[in-house]
């Protein structure tokens, strides 16, 4: 048996006429027209009685238009500034993220008072998932340093190679000591720094002044004179006799890039390792 199907109302059926809604619409329209007419009449009467009001109303209208336009411009400028700040923040975050050490990423250079020092590189320890710093070569550009910056650079090298209690004490009344530290094996090292031009070699008088205080006053186990220049032959002879380590410009660069020994691993007079430095000053 087939169920009877209920006919659907036609889609384009016209809406029934509503007398009440139509009457309310015309009443509302009449009220709006009356209010507008009354306002226009009041303005016309005020302008007729006081013509200056026409100028005031015109000024107010122009000011309102200008203010609205200015607000629109300010809003646009604020949106542009916010967008620019957002882009700058994103770029800064990307740059900071790029500087973070990660496994397999090469080290980046950090510019300090001592020159360009590369930051530590990291690698993953096999089987543990941890990261450890990888040793790197230190690059220091000694050209253009001041004597004070040179002392700080030498102190940084001592600290890099495992020295503790590193101090920069150079200055008036230092009695020949510019850098004091304890070597990795616990010996007290006293370093005098001579930032000289290559044409100005360290003479025996410089060594004699340093030799008169490094052991007796500063109680050094290791005494070293580090220079960017070179030493005269009498200076090297005196240093070997007194047990002072001489580090010239070439040896300094080798110490810096890791291809040469540190002063506490060098024999007095600049010879190869093997001298007992602990007894060299006695």
């Amino acid at each position: 048996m087939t169920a009877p199907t209920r006919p659907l109302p036609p889609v384009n059926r016209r809406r029934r006429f509503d007398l009440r809604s139509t009457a309310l619409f015309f009443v509302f329209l009449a009220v709006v027209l009356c209010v507008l007419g009354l306002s226009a009449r009041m303005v016309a009467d005020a302008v007729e009685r006081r013509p200056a009001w026409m100028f005031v109303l015109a000024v107010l209208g122009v000011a309102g238009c200008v203010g609205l336009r200015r607000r629109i411009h300010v809003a646009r400028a604020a949106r542009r500034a916010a967008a620019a700040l957002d882009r700058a923040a994103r770029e800064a975050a990307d740059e900071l993220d790029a500087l973070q050490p990660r496994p397999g990423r090469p080290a980046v250079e950090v510019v300090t008072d001592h020159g360009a020092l590369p930051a530590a590189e990291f690698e993953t320890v096999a089987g543990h998932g941890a990261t450890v710093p990888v040793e790197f070569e230190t690059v220091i550009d000694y050209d253009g340093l001041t004597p004070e910056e040179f002392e700080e650079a030498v102190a940084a090298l001592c600290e890099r190679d495992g020295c503790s209690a590193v101090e920069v004490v150079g200055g008036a009344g230092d009695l020949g000591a510019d850098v004091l530290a304890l070597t990795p094996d616990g010996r007290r090292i006293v370093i005098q720094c001579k930032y000289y031009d290559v044409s100005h070699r360290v003479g025996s008088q410089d060594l004699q002044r340093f030799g008169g205080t490094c052991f007796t006053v500063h109680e050094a186990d290791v005494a070293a004179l580090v220079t960017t220049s070179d030493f005269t032959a009498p200076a090297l002879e005196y240093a070997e006799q007194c047990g002072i380590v001489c580090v010239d410009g070439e040896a300094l660069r080798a110490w810096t890039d890791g291809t040469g020994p540190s002063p506490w691993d060098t024999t007095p007079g600049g010879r190869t390792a093997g001298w007992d430095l602990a007894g060299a000053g006695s």
Side-chain angles (χ1 to χ4, degrees), residues 57-86:
L57 292 176
V59 171
L60 290 177
V62 173
C65 294
V66 172
L68 180 60
R69 186 176 179 182
R70 182 171 298 176
R71 288 187 61 184
I72 294 175
H73 284 303
V74 170
R76 290 178 179 174
R79 287 195 296 269
R80 289 196 296 267
L85 288 175
D86 182 69

PDB file of all heavy atoms in Angstrom, residues 57-86:
ATOM      1  N   LEU A  57      29.740  76.075  12.166  1.00  0.00           N
ATOM      2  CA  LEU A  57      29.326  74.747  11.737  1.00  0.00           C
ATOM      3  C   LEU A  57      30.223  74.218  10.619  1.00  0.00           C
ATOM      4  O   LEU A  57      30.557  73.029  10.575  1.00  0.00           O
ATOM      5  CB  LEU A  57      27.870  74.797  11.268  1.00  0.00           C
ATOM      6  CG  LEU A  57      26.841  75.051  12.376  1.00  0.00           C
ATOM      7  CD1 LEU A  57      25.453  75.181  11.770  1.00  0.00           C
ATOM      8  CD2 LEU A  57      26.851  73.928  13.400  1.00  0.00           C
ATOM      9  N   ALA A  58      30.604  75.120   9.700  1.00  0.00           N
ATOM     10  CA  ALA A  58      31.488  74.698   8.617  1.00  0.00           C
ATOM     11  C   ALA A  58      32.843  74.260   9.148  1.00  0.00           C
ATOM     12  O   ALA A  58      33.407  73.248   8.719  1.00  0.00           O
ATOM     13  CB  ALA A  58      31.648  75.836   7.610  1.00  0.00           C
ATOM     14  N   VAL A  59      33.370  75.039  10.115  1.00  0.00           N
ATOM     15  CA  VAL A  59      34.663  74.670  10.712  1.00  0.00           C
ATOM     16  C   VAL A  59      34.575  73.333  11.429  1.00  0.00           C
ATOM     17  O   VAL A  59      35.456  72.479  11.316  1.00  0.00           O
ATOM     18  CB  VAL A  59      35.135  75.785  11.665  1.00  0.00           C
ATOM     19  CG1 VAL A  59      36.357  75.318  12.459  1.00  0.00           C
ATOM     20  CG2 VAL A  59      35.452  77.045  10.890  1.00  0.00           C
ATOM     21  N   LEU A  60      33.460  73.143  12.171  1.00  0.00           N
ATOM     22  CA  LEU A  60      33.291  71.877  12.880  1.00  0.00           C
ATOM     23  C   LEU A  60      33.191  70.706  11.905  1.00  0.00           C
ATOM     24  O   LEU A  60      33.748  69.627  12.144  1.00  0.00           O
ATOM     25  CB  LEU A  60      32.040  71.943  13.764  1.00  0.00           C
ATOM     26  CG  LEU A  60      32.128  72.872  14.977  1.00  0.00           C
ATOM     27  CD1 LEU A  60      30.798  72.900  15.716  1.00  0.00           C
ATOM     28  CD2 LEU A  60      33.242  72.428  15.924  1.00  0.00           C
ATOM     29  N   GLY A  61      32.495  70.908  10.805  1.00  0.00           N
ATOM     30  CA  GLY A  61      32.385  69.845   9.821  1.00  0.00           C
ATOM     31  C   GLY A  61      33.730  69.483   9.200  1.00  0.00           C
ATOM     32  O   GLY A  61      34.079  68.302   9.058  1.00  0.00           O
ATOM     33  N   VAL A  62      34.484  70.547   8.827  1.00  0.00           N
ATOM     34  CA  VAL A  62      35.806  70.288   8.248  1.00  0.00           C
ATOM     35  C   VAL A  62      36.718  69.604   9.258  1.00  0.00           C
ATOM     36  O   VAL A  62      37.453  68.664   8.929  1.00  0.00           O
ATOM     37  CB  VAL A  62      36.422  71.598   7.743  1.00  0.00           C
ATOM     38  CG1 VAL A  62      37.866  71.381   7.305  1.00  0.00           C
ATOM     39  CG2 VAL A  62      35.611  72.162   6.585  1.00  0.00           C
ATOM     40  N   ALA A  63      36.681  70.089  10.520  1.00  0.00           N
ATOM     41  CA  ALA A  63      37.517  69.486  11.556  1.00  0.00           C
ATOM     42  C   ALA A  63      37.151  68.023  11.784  1.00  0.00           C
ATOM     43  O   ALA A  63      38.022  67.164  11.977  1.00  0.00           O
ATOM     44  CB  ALA A  63      37.388  70.272  12.858  1.00  0.00           C
ATOM     45  N   GLY A  64      35.852  67.750  11.756  1.00  0.00           N
ATOM     46  CA  GLY A  64      35.432  66.362  11.917  1.00  0.00           C
ATOM     47  C   GLY A  64      35.942  65.472  10.795  1.00  0.00           C
ATOM     48  O   GLY A  64      36.415  64.350  11.034  1.00  0.00           O
ATOM     49  N   CYS A  65      35.852  65.958   9.563  1.00  0.00           N
ATOM     50  CA  CYS A  65      36.362  65.175   8.425  1.00  0.00           C
ATOM     51  C   CYS A  65      37.865  64.951   8.515  1.00  0.00           C
ATOM     52  O   CYS A  65      38.366  63.851   8.281  1.00  0.00           O
ATOM     53  CB  CYS A  65      36.007  65.887   7.120  1.00  0.00           C
ATOM     54  SG  CYS A  65      34.229  65.945   6.794  1.00  0.00           S
ATOM     55  N   VAL A  66      38.604  66.050   8.871  1.00  0.00           N
ATOM     56  CA  VAL A  66      40.059  65.930   9.001  1.00  0.00           C
ATOM     57  C   VAL A  66      40.431  64.955  10.110  1.00  0.00           C
ATOM     58  O   VAL A  66      41.332  64.130   9.972  1.00  0.00           O
ATOM     59  CB  VAL A  66      40.686  67.313   9.235  1.00  0.00           C
ATOM     60  CG1 VAL A  66      42.166  67.183   9.555  1.00  0.00           C
ATOM     61  CG2 VAL A  66      40.493  68.207   8.013  1.00  0.00           C
ATOM     62  N   GLY A  67      39.729  65.075  11.258  1.00  0.00           N
ATOM     63  CA  GLY A  67      40.029  64.166  12.366  1.00  0.00           C
ATOM     64  C   GLY A  67      39.758  62.719  12.023  1.00  0.00           C
ATOM     65  O   GLY A  67      40.529  61.822  12.363  1.00  0.00           O
ATOM     66  N   LEU A  68      38.649  62.482  11.324  1.00  0.00           N
ATOM     67  CA  LEU A  68      38.338  61.117  10.923  1.00  0.00           C
ATOM     68  C   LEU A  68      39.407  60.569   9.970  1.00  0.00           C
ATOM     69  O   LEU A  68      39.846  59.422  10.091  1.00  0.00           O
ATOM     70  CB  LEU A  68      36.964  61.093  10.260  1.00  0.00           C
ATOM     71  CG  LEU A  68      36.474  59.720   9.774  1.00  0.00           C
ATOM     72  CD1 LEU A  68      36.376  58.763  10.941  1.00  0.00           C
ATOM     73  CD2 LEU A  68      35.129  59.858   9.073  1.00  0.00           C
ATOM     74  N   ARG A  69      39.814  61.432   9.015  1.00  0.00           N
ATOM     75  CA  ARG A  69      40.839  60.993   8.068  1.00  0.00           C
ATOM     76  C   ARG A  69      42.156  60.721   8.778  1.00  0.00           C
ATOM     77  O   ARG A  69      42.864  59.745   8.473  1.00  0.00           O
ATOM     78  CB  ARG A  69      41.027  62.068   7.004  1.00  0.00           C
ATOM     79  CG  ARG A  69      41.968  61.660   5.885  1.00  0.00           C
ATOM     80  CD  ARG A  69      42.014  62.739   4.833  1.00  0.00           C
ATOM     81  NE  ARG A  69      42.933  62.356   3.754  1.00  0.00           N
ATOM     82  CZ  ARG A  69      43.205  63.134   2.718  1.00  0.00           C
ATOM     83  NH1 ARG A  69      42.625  64.334   2.614  1.00  0.00           N
ATOM     84  NH2 ARG A  69      44.043  62.729   1.788  1.00  0.00           N
ATOM     85  N   ARG A  70      42.496  61.596   9.758  1.00  0.00           N
ATOM     86  CA  ARG A  70      43.742  61.390  10.500  1.00  0.00           C
ATOM     87  C   ARG A  70      43.701  60.102  11.305  1.00  0.00           C
ATOM     88  O   ARG A  70      44.693  59.373  11.392  1.00  0.00           O
ATOM     89  CB  ARG A  70      43.998  62.587  11.402  1.00  0.00           C
ATOM     90  CG  ARG A  70      45.304  62.488  12.192  1.00  0.00           C
ATOM     91  CD  ARG A  70      45.600  63.783  12.901  1.00  0.00           C
ATOM     92  NE  ARG A  70      45.774  64.882  11.953  1.00  0.00           N
ATOM     93  CZ  ARG A  70      45.968  66.155  12.321  1.00  0.00           C
ATOM     94  NH1 ARG A  70      45.988  66.460  13.616  1.00  0.00           N
ATOM     95  NH2 ARG A  70      46.128  67.089  11.418  1.00  0.00           N
ATOM     96  N   ARG A  71      42.560  59.819  11.897  1.00  0.00           N
ATOM     97  CA  ARG A  71      42.446  58.585  12.669  1.00  0.00           C
ATOM     98  C   ARG A  71      42.623  57.366  11.773  1.00  0.00           C
ATOM     99  O   ARG A  71      43.241  56.372  12.147  1.00  0.00           O
ATOM    100  CB  ARG A  71      41.090  58.525  13.366  1.00  0.00           C
ATOM    101  CG  ARG A  71      40.931  59.498  14.532  1.00  0.00           C
ATOM    102  CD  ARG A  71      39.641  59.284  15.273  1.00  0.00           C
ATOM    103  NE  ARG A  71      39.597  57.941  15.841  1.00  0.00           N
ATOM    104  CZ  ARG A  71      38.529  57.453  16.496  1.00  0.00           C
ATOM    105  NH1 ARG A  71      37.448  58.213  16.655  1.00  0.00           N
ATOM    106  NH2 ARG A  71      38.554  56.240  16.986  1.00  0.00           N
ATOM    107  N   ILE A  72      42.099  57.475  10.563  1.00  0.00           N
ATOM    108  CA  ILE A  72      42.263  56.369   9.619  1.00  0.00           C
ATOM    109  C   ILE A  72      43.743  56.183   9.280  1.00  0.00           C
ATOM    110  O   ILE A  72      44.272  55.066   9.253  1.00  0.00           O
ATOM    111  CB  ILE A  72      41.423  56.622   8.354  1.00  0.00           C
ATOM    112  CG1 ILE A  72      39.931  56.580   8.703  1.00  0.00           C
ATOM    113  CG2 ILE A  72      41.762  55.600   7.283  1.00  0.00           C
ATOM    114  CD1 ILE A  72      39.028  56.948   7.543  1.00  0.00           C
ATOM    115  N   HIS A  73      44.450  57.328   9.035  1.00  0.00           N
ATOM    116  CA  HIS A  73      45.882  57.246   8.725  1.00  0.00           C
ATOM    117  C   HIS A  73      46.672  56.687   9.901  1.00  0.00           C
ATOM    118  O   HIS A  73      47.600  55.882   9.728  1.00  0.00           O
ATOM    119  CB  HIS A  73      46.414  58.624   8.341  1.00  0.00           C
ATOM    120  CG  HIS A  73      46.025  59.055   6.950  1.00  0.00           C
ATOM    121  ND1 HIS A  73      46.329  58.314   5.836  1.00  0.00           N
ATOM    122  CD2 HIS A  73      45.352  60.151   6.502  1.00  0.00           C
ATOM    123  CE1 HIS A  73      45.871  58.917   4.751  1.00  0.00           C
ATOM    124  NE2 HIS A  73      45.256  60.037   5.127  1.00  0.00           N
ATOM    125  N   VAL A  74      46.328  57.153  11.131  1.00  0.00           N
ATOM    126  CA  VAL A  74      47.035  56.662  12.323  1.00  0.00           C
ATOM    127  C   VAL A  74      46.832  55.165  12.491  1.00  0.00           C
ATOM    128  O   VAL A  74      47.751  54.408  12.825  1.00  0.00           O
ATOM    129  CB  VAL A  74      46.577  57.438  13.572  1.00  0.00           C
ATOM    130  CG1 VAL A  74      47.105  56.790  14.838  1.00  0.00           C
ATOM    131  CG2 VAL A  74      47.054  58.886  13.504  1.00  0.00           C
ATOM    132  N   ALA A  75      45.587  54.727  12.261  1.00  0.00           N
ATOM    133  CA  ALA A  75      45.316  53.294  12.388  1.00  0.00           C
ATOM    134  C   ALA A  75      46.121  52.490  11.375  1.00  0.00           C
ATOM    135  O   ALA A  75      46.681  51.438  11.695  1.00  0.00           O
ATOM    136  CB  ALA A  75      43.817  53.039  12.216  1.00  0.00           C
ATOM    137  N   ARG A  76      46.201  53.017  10.135  1.00  0.00           N
ATOM    138  CA  ARG A  76      46.988  52.316   9.121  1.00  0.00           C
ATOM    139  C   ARG A  76      48.467  52.284   9.501  1.00  0.00           C
ATOM    140  O   ARG A  76      49.139  51.256   9.348  1.00  0.00           O
ATOM    141  CB  ARG A  76      46.811  52.998   7.772  1.00  0.00           C
ATOM    142  CG  ARG A  76      45.410  52.818   7.175  1.00  0.00           C
ATOM    143  CD  ARG A  76      45.300  53.565   5.863  1.00  0.00           C
ATOM    144  NE  ARG A  76      43.969  53.388   5.278  1.00  0.00           N
ATOM    145  CZ  ARG A  76      43.556  54.032   4.181  1.00  0.00           C
ATOM    146  NH1 ARG A  76      44.374  54.890   3.551  1.00  0.00           N
ATOM    147  NH2 ARG A  76      42.346  53.815   3.694  1.00  0.00           N
ATOM    148  N   ALA A  77      48.984  53.445   9.993  1.00  0.00           N
ATOM    149  CA  ALA A  77      50.391  53.490  10.393  1.00  0.00           C
ATOM    150  C   ALA A  77      50.668  52.533  11.549  1.00  0.00           C
ATOM    151  O   ALA A  77      51.716  51.879  11.596  1.00  0.00           O
ATOM    152  CB  ALA A  77      50.779  54.915  10.783  1.00  0.00           C
ATOM    153  N   ALA A  78      49.725  52.462  12.498  1.00  0.00           N
ATOM    154  CA  ALA A  78      49.907  51.548  13.624  1.00  0.00           C
ATOM    155  C   ALA A  78      49.935  50.100  13.156  1.00  0.00           C
ATOM    156  O   ALA A  78      50.739  49.289  13.625  1.00  0.00           O
ATOM    157  CB  ALA A  78      48.783  51.749  14.646  1.00  0.00           C
ATOM    158  N   ARG A  79      49.041  49.778  12.188  1.00  0.00           N
ATOM    159  CA  ARG A  79      49.059  48.410  11.668  1.00  0.00           C
ATOM    160  C   ARG A  79      50.365  48.101  10.946  1.00  0.00           C
ATOM    161  O   ARG A  79      50.924  47.010  11.081  1.00  0.00           O
ATOM    162  CB  ARG A  79      47.862  48.206  10.730  1.00  0.00           C
ATOM    163  CG  ARG A  79      46.517  48.096  11.453  1.00  0.00           C
ATOM    164  CD  ARG A  79      45.457  47.546  10.521  1.00  0.00           C
ATOM    165  NE  ARG A  79      45.196  48.452   9.396  1.00  0.00           N
ATOM    166  CZ  ARG A  79      44.273  49.401   9.410  1.00  0.00           C
ATOM    167  NH1 ARG A  79      43.520  49.576  10.495  1.00  0.00           N
ATOM    168  NH2 ARG A  79      44.078  50.177   8.352  1.00  0.00           N
ATOM    169  N   ARG A  80      50.871  49.083  10.165  1.00  0.00           N
ATOM    170  CA  ARG A  80      52.143  48.864   9.479  1.00  0.00           C
ATOM    171  C   ARG A  80      53.295  48.702  10.457  1.00  0.00           C
ATOM    172  O   ARG A  80      54.179  47.859  10.279  1.00  0.00           O
ATOM    173  CB  ARG A  80      52.423  50.027   8.512  1.00  0.00           C
ATOM    174  CG  ARG A  80      51.525  50.039   7.285  1.00  0.00           C
ATOM    175  CD  ARG A  80      52.096  50.940   6.209  1.00  0.00           C
ATOM    176  NE  ARG A  80      52.132  52.339   6.659  1.00  0.00           N
ATOM    177  CZ  ARG A  80      51.165  53.219   6.429  1.00  0.00           C
ATOM    178  NH1 ARG A  80      50.077  52.854   5.744  1.00  0.00           N
ATOM    179  NH2 ARG A  80      51.271  54.466   6.853  1.00  0.00           N
ATOM    180  N   ALA A  81      53.309  49.549  11.532  1.00  0.00           N
ATOM    181  CA  ALA A  81      54.369  49.447  12.536  1.00  0.00           C
ATOM    182  C   ALA A  81      54.323  48.104  13.255  1.00  0.00           C
ATOM    183  O   ALA A  81      55.356  47.475  13.515  1.00  0.00           O
ATOM    184  CB  ALA A  81      54.255  50.592  13.544  1.00  0.00           C
ATOM    185  N   ALA A  82      53.096  47.654  13.578  1.00  0.00           N
ATOM    186  CA  ALA A  82      52.971  46.360  14.252  1.00  0.00           C
ATOM    187  C   ALA A  82      53.471  45.229  13.358  1.00  0.00           C
ATOM    188  O   ALA A  82      54.148  44.301  13.816  1.00  0.00           O
ATOM    189  CB  ALA A  82      51.520  46.120  14.651  1.00  0.00           C
ATOM    190  N   ALA A  83      53.148  45.316  12.070  1.00  0.00           N
ATOM    191  CA  ALA A  83      53.625  44.284  11.139  1.00  0.00           C
ATOM    192  C   ALA A  83      55.147  44.304  11.031  1.00  0.00           C
ATOM    193  O   ALA A  83      55.798  43.249  10.987  1.00  0.00           O
ATOM    194  CB  ALA A  83      52.986  44.488   9.770  1.00  0.00           C
ATOM    195  N   ALA A  84      55.750  45.524  10.988  1.00  0.00           N
ATOM    196  CA  ALA A  84      57.212  45.624  10.903  1.00  0.00           C
ATOM    197  C   ALA A  84      57.871  45.063  12.158  1.00  0.00           C
ATOM    198  O   ALA A  84      58.891  44.355  12.080  1.00  0.00           O
ATOM    199  CB  ALA A  84      57.616  47.083  10.701  1.00  0.00           C
ATOM    200  N   LEU A  85      57.316  45.367  13.340  1.00  0.00           N
ATOM    201  CA  LEU A  85      57.872  44.831  14.581  1.00  0.00           C
ATOM    202  C   LEU A  85      57.762  43.309  14.622  1.00  0.00           C
ATOM    203  O   LEU A  85      58.673  42.620  15.096  1.00  0.00           O
ATOM    204  CB  LEU A  85      57.148  45.449  15.782  1.00  0.00           C
ATOM    205  CG  LEU A  85      57.458  46.918  16.077  1.00  0.00           C
ATOM    206  CD1 LEU A  85      56.584  47.418  17.216  1.00  0.00           C
ATOM    207  CD2 LEU A  85      58.920  47.109  16.424  1.00  0.00           C
ATOM    208  N   ASP A  86      56.654  42.800  14.127  1.00  0.00           N
ATOM    209  CA  ASP A  86      56.489  41.353  14.109  1.00  0.00           C
ATOM    210  C   ASP A  86      57.525  40.698  13.197  1.00  0.00           C
ATOM    211  O   ASP A  86      58.126  39.672  13.545  1.00  0.00           O
ATOM    212  CB  ASP A  86      55.077  41.018  13.642  1.00  0.00           C
ATOM    213  CG  ASP A  86      54.820  39.523  13.657  1.00  0.00           C
ATOM    214  OD1 ASP A  86      54.741  38.938  14.755  1.00  0.00           O
ATOM    215  OD2 ASP A  86      54.708  38.927  12.572  1.00  0.00           O
TER     216      ASP A  86
END
